[in-house]
Amino acid sequence: MDVASKRLRRLPTYMLGTLRQRTLERRREGADVIDLGMGNPDLRTPQPVIDKLCEAAQDVRNHRYSQSKGVYNLRREIAWHYERRFDVHLDPEHEAVAVIGTKEGLCLLALGVIDDGDVAIIPDPTYPIHMYSIVTAGGSVISVPLREENDFVPDLAKIVQDIYPKPKLLVLSFPHNPTGAVVDLAFFEEVIHYARRHGILVVHDLAYADLAYDGYVAPSILQVQGAKDIAVEFYSLSKSHSMAGWRIGFAVGNRDILSALSRIKSYYDYGIFAPVQIAAIMALRTEEHILKETVDTYRTRRDVLVESLGRIGWEIPSPKATIFAWAPIPEAHREAGSMAFATKMLEEADVCVSPGVGFGAHGEGFVRIALVENENRIRQAVRQMKRVLDP
């Protein structure tokens, strides 16, 4: 009996999930698979955040239903964080919503603003939920290719001319997952100017704001004058504070878009467990030296990966941000495709990497390698990769 909805049937097989399942199977078979596929941080959440969670969990009052859009003190804290970090003023009552992770927030936002047939512009490759949140909401996607020769940054001038009906939404994410591409504030100024001219709403996913290297500083799109008139931004604690499993993030910016998100959320959930929200306040107050240690750890891992691969003849770019390397598949293996290459790595080298095609058709020819193991394991992974690369 086919019980799947039309909405579910619109979704293709999730390639990244397929490899993840095979990784688990290989481990059950006794293989010591080094998983560099999923961006699943292995670092410890800062101790003050853990301590605050434990303290808050002892208060029986915190075990009741919370607020769907987040308690006021947390929303005020993210507003203060944006003031300190980006010099952006936010009204915590109307311009900030806590979400159960950015993934949930993006999906519910799409349900709140996308009608059947609405068009969204999505870069390709991209983090899959950027595209599939629109699909599950009944919308249509226009893909904009991100090309290596353009440093994986979209050419806005070429997007709208021939699109009908007019797009309602543009989704961006810089620093970019999976390519690691970065932009400056001038790019966001161009985005806002472009979107205002064409009457398009903008959603920016700033998941990797704090994980930048070599002097690069990631801007917020809300730093652009007038951005709050048409844009919202998602900010996450998952990677910067190693809180992926805690499932907490934020949507900030345009109050009308956030009102739609808040309203749809009120039908779906009762909010995040209150002790997690209280601990998130502590996370947003994390001392700079603790965050610097996290950044330094990922930068060291990046350098080890890039240098180790170079020594076995696989030259890849060194990303300026995120916890990923976007690696062009060596020429001898490119024709088979990224899924076949990633599968070969898993089966023959016991190393899991993500196929580029899992992030969109224009991701073909690449694999994404996550920096979620320590330096010794990364070196070991590269030694095992050499089995596949050597003729």
Side-chain angles (χ1 to χ4, degrees):
M1 180 172 59
D2 186 2
V3 299
S5 66
K6 292 180 180 178
R7 180 178 295 106
L8 187 58
R9 288 196 292 270
R10 290 185 70 191
L11 297 175
T13 300
Y14 190 45
M15 289 187 181
L16 306 184
T18 301
L19 274 179
R20 179 69 179 163
Q21 180 59 36
R22 182 56 186 146
T23 297
L24 295 174
E25 291 171 358
R26 291 282 295 142
R27 284 176 170 168
R28 292 192 194 106
E29 294 165 2
D32 178 23
V33 177
I34 301 175
D35 190 354
L36 305 180
M38 186 177 181
N40 193 8
D42 64 316
L43 302 182
R44 182 180 176 84
T45 304
Q47 190 62 44
V49 180
I50 297 173
D51 293 343
K52 180 57 71 173
L53 173 73
C54 295
E55 175 190 319
Q58 295 299 323
D59 189 337
V60 67
R61 293 171 299 178
N62 291 330
H63 291 247
R64 307 181 73 181
Y65 289 128
S66 184
Q67 296 182 43
S68 178
K69 67 178 184 177
V71 298
Y72 179 79
N73 285 351
L74 176 58
R75 288 181 279 120
R76 181 179 61 187
E77 195 67 38
I78 189 62
W80 285 346
H81 183 76
Y82 261 71
E83 191 91 49
R84 295 190 302 267
R85 175 81 164 75
F86 301 112
D87 195 26
V88 170
H89 175 74
L90 296 170
D91 174 3
E93 188 58 48
H94 301 289
E95 295 177 342
V97 175
V99 294
I100 308 174
T102 298
K103 194 171 185 179
E104 180 252 12
L106 287 162
C107 288
L108 292 183
L109 178 66
L111 288 176
V113 303
I114 294 294
D115 287 316
D116 288 350
D118 279 346
V119 173
I121 302 170
I122 312 289
D124 179 355
T126 193
Y127 180 50
I129 203 61
H130 294 158
M131 178 182 299
Y132 296 125
S133 62
I134 304 300
V135 172
T136 55
S140 299
V141 170
I142 298 295
S143 294
V144 176
L146 302 183
R147 304 188 188 280
E148 188 173 13
E149 58 266 30
N150 294 329
D151 297 320
F152 300 107
V153 175
D155 185 349
L156 299 177
K158 296 181 179 178
I159 293 178
V160 165
Q161 287 91 333
D162 299 320
I163 299 178
Y164 181 84
K166 183 184 77 173
K168 184 173 187 178
L169 200 66
L170 167 64
V171 180
L172 295 171
S173 181
F174 290 99
H176 187 252
N177 176 12
T179 69
V182 297
V183 298
D184 57 16
L185 190 59
F187 173 78
F188 286 142
E189 290 171 346
E190 183 185 357
V191 168
I192 295 301
H193 176 73
Y194 157 88
R196 290 171 71 97
R197 186 169 72 247
H198 294 284
I200 300 172
L201 304 177
V202 180
V203 174
H204 181 236
D205 183 358
L206 190 57
Y208 297 93
D210 300 303
L211 296 177
Y213 319 115
D214 306 334
Y216 174 72
V217 178
S220 162
I221 198 170
L222 298 182
Q223 290 175 268
V224 178
Q225 184 175 0
K228 285 198 294 182
D229 294 340
I230 57 169
V232 294
E233 184 164 75
F234 282 89
Y235 184 89
S236 173
L237 300 176
S238 292
K239 307 303 193 298
S240 58
H241 293 73
S242 304
M243 295 172 67
W246 298 54
R247 307 314 302 135
I248 187 160
F250 308 93
V252 296
N254 180 268
R255 62 180 56 203
D256 293 328
I257 301 174
L258 294 184
S259 176
L261 171 60
S262 297
R263 187 176 177 191
I264 199 76
K265 265 181 64 64
S266 69
Y267 284 91
Y268 274 80
D269 67 68
Y270 285 108
I272 303 159
F273 184 41
V276 172
Q277 297 189 61
I278 294 167
I281 294 173
M282 179 62 71
L284 290 168
R285 298 175 182 176
T286 298
E287 294 182 21
E288 191 65 32
H289 74 91
I290 296 178
L291 292 181
K292 183 179 182 300
E293 289 174 4
T294 299
V295 173
D296 288 346
T297 296
Y298 283 122
R299 179 175 54 242
T300 299
R301 292 178 179 185
R302 175 203 67 174
D303 293 344
V304 167
L305 176 70
V306 173
E307 291 167 8
S308 298
L309 287 176
R311 281 196 292 271
I312 66 169
W314 188 2
E315 301 289 341
I316 70 168
S318 181
K320 289 186 177 180
T322 78
I323 61 169
F324 306 110
W326 187 238
I329 297 172
E331 189 64 40
H333 300 270
R334 193 166 299 172
E335 187 175 349
S338 59
M339 186 64 182
F341 181 72
T343 301
K344 191 176 182 69
M345 278 291 178
L346 179 57
E347 300 293 346
E348 298 182 16
D350 287 330
V351 177
C352 181
V353 297
S354 294
V357 73
F359 302 94
H362 289 276
E364 188 54 89
F366 295 82
V367 292
R368 191 192 72 178
I369 306 174
L371 305 172
V372 292
E373 291 276 5
N374 64 46
E375 296 98 298
N376 289 334
R377 289 283 277 177
I378 289 173
R379 291 187 183 97
Q380 180 185 346
V382 172
R383 289 194 297 269
Q384 293 172 196
M385 289 177 179
K386 194 172 185 293
R387 302 175 195 164
V388 172
L389 300 184
D390 283 349

